[in-house]
Amino acid sequence: MTTRLGSLNEFCWMDLKTRDPAGTAALFSTTLGWRFAVDEEDWRKAVKISVGDRPIGGLSDVASPVYPPGTPAHIAYYLAVDDIDRRAEAATAHGARLVVPPFDAGDQGRIATLIDPEGAAFSLWQRRHFPEWNFPPRLASSPHRMVLACDRPDEARHFYEKTTERPCSAPTSSPQWGPVHPPHSGNWWSPSMIWTTSAARTMTAGPRSPVPRRTAVRWCG
């Protein structure tokens, strides 16, 4: 069963974490038409990213003291869950590494960050007052689907099914559940989450881009 982004057991938010906020904002504004603005209603005065009037993510500076020294630039993805403490416990029981234990993000919700058994980072999010993704399907330049590119897709699917207690299905494009191979240049890359926009562009959070698109695992709720 496939559910809509933003619903329970689906990815519901993303944060761009960078060492060059101005340059990152300029890049995505030019490439995808995103709008970056300080949220004056947020007590942190966080920078929010929008497509038109639809919020899709946040922008953070990893050089800030709130991040450990040496934190690399990355995109954080949030998976909506019903009980974050129970889901984090299930994830670690099935091979994930807990990086940030569940904690309260003000009155917005609860967050936990993990590394899955394939080596890809993801976060769990239990909503309280945060709106999450809510935009029309295939809104241009908005996230369209989430993909996990890894070398053991069957094992990855099993892990997320056990963590969320919901089925994961293969993507409609071919091949469906095959291993991901390194680029022909010989440079290896780490497993990573990818999001695909409705305009058929792909952005990746992997530290070594590009990730081959010919073999990927689609996350479905």
Side-chain angles (χ1 to χ4, degrees):
M1 179 175 66
T2 301
T3 54
R4 179 176 173 178
L5 289 176
S7 59
L8 189 63
N9 295 314
E10 271 285 1
F11 286 93
C12 61
W13 193 251
M14 66 182 183
D15 280 323
L16 305 187
K17 300 183 184 292
T18 174
R19 291 188 175 275
D20 181 11
T24 298
L27 170 66
F28 283 97
S29 294
T30 301
T31 305
L32 297 178
W34 289 357
R35 183 170 60 86
F36 293 76
V38 173
D39 185 351
E40 298 294 345
E41 297 182 0
D42 188 314
W43 64 274
R44 301 167 302 163
K45 301 300 180 182
V47 175
K48 296 291 179 66
I49 308 168
S50 301
V51 174
D53 61 349
R54 305 280 183 166
I56 63 170
L59 179 70
S60 302
D61 187 348
V62 295
S64 167
V66 302
Y67 295 100
T71 299
H74 63 284
I75 305 178
Y77 299 97
Y78 297 85
L79 179 64
V81 295
D82 54 352
D83 184 332
I84 195 168
D85 296 273
R86 186 161 70 93
R87 297 304 175 194
E89 183 178 350
T92 56
H94 290 93
R97 176 165 62 90
L98 187 63
V99 178
V100 179
F103 70 95
D104 290 323
D107 63 350
Q108 301 296 295
R110 281 174 65 75
I111 301 173
T113 299
L114 305 97
I115 304 293
D116 73 18
E118 303 309 310
F122 70 103
S123 293
L124 300 177
W125 174 256
Q126 184 176 351
R127 174 186 174 181
R128 286 179 182 157
H129 301 294
F130 193 74
E132 303 174 345
W133 278 337
N134 181 20
F135 42 77
R138 299 186 179 279
L139 175 67
S141 295
S142 67
H144 169 53
R145 66 174 186 174
M146 306 303 298
V147 177
L148 172 58
C150 65
D151 196 45
R152 303 187 304 166
D154 287 331
E155 288 82 352
R157 176 174 58 179
H158 177 77
F159 165 76
Y160 283 100
E161 287 178 340
K162 291 297 184 182
T163 296
T164 64
E165 298 180 355
R166 295 290 298 274
C168 291
S169 63
T172 56
S173 58
S174 175
Q176 297 189 347
W177 296 98
V180 175
H181 301 288
H184 293 299
S185 63
N187 295 323
W188 192 246
W189 55 275
S190 298
S192 60
M193 291 290 183
I194 303 169
W195 60 267
T196 303
T197 73
S198 56
R201 301 184 182 95
T202 298
M203 309 301 293
T204 175
R208 299 178 180 88
S209 299
V211 172
R213 295 189 62 188
R214 52 185 290 231
T215 47
V217 179
R218 180 179 178 181
W219 166 259
C220 297

